Amino acid sequence: DTAVSQTPKYLVTQMGNDKSIKCEQNLGHDTMYWYKQDSKKFLKIMFSYNNKELIINETVPNRFSPKSPDKAHLNLHINSLELGDSAVYFCASSQDLLSGQGLGETQYFGPGTRLLVL
Amino acid sequence: RKEVEQDPGPFNVPEGATVAFNCTYSNSASQSFFWYRQDCRKEPKLLMSVYSSGNEDGRFTAQLNRASQYISLLIRDSKLSDSATYLCVVNAINDYKLSFGAGTTVTVRA
């Protein structure tokens, strides 16, 4: 009965490779997110989708491409991996977009994908 | 300047002690405030929202000071299970994203 799940949990790969991370939520939420947490522990938003529509696209290299086939899934594809991409990537979901009315602020995070680029 | 700044700690406290720490935010348009908790090698989870008048949830008390743009978290009667990193989280008006601090690490020892 996992709420937000991600696969894989660990990913070790060589520079230059292409890899994907998958995320699924079974909470019936409309909004999903990808975050990157680097070695300094900062959680930085990368993308958010609301009902399959891209809402946030922060300053992220275009080697990173999110894809939302339906509102329960948000996948992240990374081309030409670089050393600096090594981090923990968290998927999250919330009931709705942040609205100031308490609907989007509670975000439920997946367990994270630990990516190591060698 | 970072949007949300926290003292990284660590705060090492004995069981039963009280520990408190602050977080400052730079955007005066911030309207929603939260504390999330992240255990080692785990995902963040919402601990509590922070309301204007301050609020308590069991042993945890959160305060907001809009004039000085900081929020605080106080943990009373610390338990070993309170050992974690506490993330200060802020949302501004008309902003679709949350801004996270880098976290304050608390270690409670027996």
Side-chain angles (χ1 to χ4, degrees), chain A residues 76-87:
Chain A
L76 183 66
H77 187 76
I78 316 169
N79 287 328
S80 303
L81 278 154
E82 299 178 357
L83 295 177
D85 297 333
S86 297

Side-chain angles (χ1 to χ4, degrees), chain A residues 36-88:
Chain A
K36 177 180 179 180
Q37 188 170 42
D38 59 23
S39 56
K40 289 189 168 51
K41 306 298 184 189
F42 265 109
L43 258 173
K44 294 179 80 168
I45 184 77
M46 300 173 71
F47 303 102
S48 79
Y49 272 74
N50 180 255
N51 275 318
K52 302 195 300 174
E53 180 188 345
L54 179 66
I55 301 297
I56 293 174
N57 184 351
E58 290 290 281
T59 309
V60 175
N62 56 17
R63 298 182 294 104
F64 290 79
S65 50
K67 193 161 282 189
S68 182
D70 54 63
K71 71 175 194 177
H73 295 85
L74 180 62
N75 303 323
L76 183 66
H77 187 76
I78 316 169
N79 287 328
S80 303
L81 278 154
E82 299 178 357
L83 295 177
D85 297 333
S86 297
V88 182

Side-chain angles (χ1 to χ4, degrees), chain B residues 78-100:
Chain B
S78 299
K79 312 287 184 198
L80 295 176
S81 57
D82 294 334
S83 297
T85 296
Y86 292 86
L87 305 173
C88 175
V89 185
V90 173
N91 172 233
I93 290 175
N94 297 324
D95 193 352
Y96 290 131
K97 68 181 190 295
L98 298 177
S99 296
F100 286 77

